[in-house]
Amino acid sequence: TLVRAAEISEHPRLFYWQEILANHSDANFTNRSDYLNSALQRGNLTDAKDWYDKVSSNIEEKEQIFFQCLILAKQGDEAQFEAYQLADNFLQKNPYSSPICEFLWDFCLQSNQNYLFEKAVKELKNASKLPSPISFEALRRLLSLETGTPEERKEWAQRLWQINSPSLHDAVLC
């Protein structure tokens, strides 16, 4: 598509085309997520909030929660705590729901609070044992951290390497 070609070539109108695609009636989660992430990375918080307000009534709850978390996480401490609570509450009802669990893991791993970091590591270890694609995301995060015994890390690497098509990044982690 035009947007993918623009991403590869780093075309200056990429953001404009992402916005058009995200607002299209046939847009999917990835289209909307790419636009929102791009807006937030550019520091366009007001545009991101306005866009979310416009589309939120037309998207499913999980997507609404995820987008709210992304927007709140780019604001001050109180809003970041609200993002944490929003994600945590959703995951209590819908455990290991992607992409919200990945958001919460990353949020906690980046926190300066040891409790949150330790909570994320515990959740990653639990998720790594699941028979689902989310386990591979958990394994990738565990292997990128300096955590676990050598035996645990070896086991994580072996499980990650069992993916049908491991990536070059997976090979580096293993």
Side-chain angles (χ1 to χ4, degrees), residues 72-86 107:
L72 289 167
K74 293 293 184 179
Q75 299 176 50
D77 290 343
E78 287 183 35
Q80 290 174 358
F81 180 69
E82 189 178 339
Y84 169 83
Q85 286 184 309
L86 193 61
F107 182 85

Side-chain angles (χ1 to χ4, degrees), residues 84-148:
Y84 169 83
Q85 286 184 309
L86 193 61
D88 193 51
N89 290 340
F90 184 83
L91 291 172
Q92 286 179 16
K93 296 179 223 159
N94 308 280
Y96 304 109
S97 180
S98 181
I100 297 173
C101 69
E102 290 104 319
F103 166 82
L104 192 59
W105 293 338
D106 293 338
F107 182 85
C108 291
L109 290 173
Q110 294 170 11
S111 172
N112 293 331
Q113 297 180 20
N114 285 338
Y115 164 77
L116 291 177
F117 184 85
E118 290 169 8
K119 177 182 175 166
V121 170
K122 179 181 174 188
E123 288 297 320
L124 288 168
K125 286 180 179 182
N126 290 338
S128 73
K129 297 172 186 168
L130 297 173
S132 72
I134 199 72
S135 67
F136 299 128
E137 294 303 322
L139 289 166
R140 287 181 182 108
R141 283 170 175 80
L142 284 168
L143 288 167
S144 68
L145 300 171
E146 294 180 16
T147 190

Side-chain angles (χ1 to χ4, degrees), residues 40-56:
L40 293 171
Q41 287 172 355
R42 292 171 173 264
N44 296 345
L45 185 59
T46 303
D47 290 345
K49 287 179 180 179
D50 291 345
W51 174 82
Y52 172 76
D53 290 341
K54 187 171 78 174
V55 301
S56 64

